[in-house]
Structures are given as C-alpha cells and as structure tokens.
Amino acid sequence: MLEIRGWTSTTTLPHAPAFVVGMMNLRGTVLPVVDLSLRLGFGKTEPGKRHVIIIAQIDDKIVGFLVDAVSDIITVDEAEMQATPDVSSSRTQAFIRGVHSLDDKLVRAIDVREVLPQEAPLSA
C-alpha cells in the first residue's frame, strides 16, 4: 500500500469492466480505480464522503481500490495465516489468500493480483 486518500471523482473508461469505477490522476500518474465491493461480489458502491481509495502498487502497476473505510492497518506474518476453508467456491479461493484471527474476528487477506482487471482480447 502506498497511501489512503479520500474519495474523489473519477473519469469513466469506455469498455472497462463494471467493477472499474474509472481513472484518476495521482500527482501525474493516471491509474484505474476498482470498486472492491463490486469486484468481490458484494454489490456496487455508491461513493460518498466517507469512502476512501487505497492506492497500491502491484508489480509494476499502480491501482486504486474504492472501499467503504479503513479502520486499521496491520502486518501479518505469512506463517500466521490460515487457509481459506475448503467449502469456499473456487472463485472465493482465487480472491482470498487466507484468513487471520484478530481478537474475536477473522480478517480476510485479499490477493490483489486477482482483483485487478484482467486483459481481454478485443472483439471485432
């Protein structure tokens, strides 16, 4: 993660997947903004003042993730992660790397590489 920013309007990208809210300019770098809720199957986010964009670098790409809020930032040792339960669908297992027990709740670790828009061939 590079930074967390308050919600700002984005510019629509034609023919982008529905979960790509648009693009934004971050100090001269144009990057896509992904609606994390929609991408994970929880429904479309109607962004407002309380929403934030998490800016992250994944490999050589910089991307923004629209989320409801950020309550805490934690570092978890990979050895402390538990596997995603086998009862999950293969799609769930593709997005969720594992879970971590934090106090009395479970925190999901998202595989951000799977969340990023995948390139699709152009249609004729």
Side-chain angles (χ1 to χ4, degrees):
M1 179 185 70
L2 298 175
E3 67 181 89
I4 299 170
R5 302 180 51 88
W7 167 251
T8 55
S9 299
T10 59
T11 303
T12 306
L13 281 165
H15 306 290
F19 55 83
V20 176
V21 177
M23 59 185 166
M24 66 179 285
N25 185 332
L26 179 68
R27 294 182 293 282
T29 300
V30 177
L31 55 116
V33 177
V34 173
D35 180 344
L36 196 55
S37 177
L38 186 58
R39 182 64 172 138
L40 296 176
F42 296 121
K44 182 178 168 111
T45 302
E46 295 300 332
K49 292 180 181 179
R50 71 179 182 96
H51 292 91
V52 296
I53 300 173
I54 299 173
I55 309 296
Q57 182 165 354
I58 293 91
D59 300 324
D60 62 343
K61 296 179 184 178
I62 297 178
V63 64
F65 296 106
L66 172 62
V67 299
D68 289 342
V70 174
S71 59
D72 203 357
I73 299 172
I74 62 171
T75 301
V76 177
D77 187 325
E78 196 71 34
E80 296 175 10
M81 295 292 292
Q82 298 176 33
T84 305
D86 288 335
V87 296
S88 300
S89 71
S90 60
R91 193 165 178 181
T92 297
Q93 290 183 344
F95 285 129
I96 307 299
R97 286 187 20 221
V99 294
H100 175 70
S101 182
L102 181 65
D103 300 324
D104 61 345
K105 55 188 166 185
L106 291 175
V107 178
R108 297 171 296 250
I110 298 171
D111 187 341
V112 291
R113 285 174 181 83
E114 292 294 326
V115 173
L116 289 177
Q118 302 299 313
E119 290 189 31
L122 295 175
S123 56

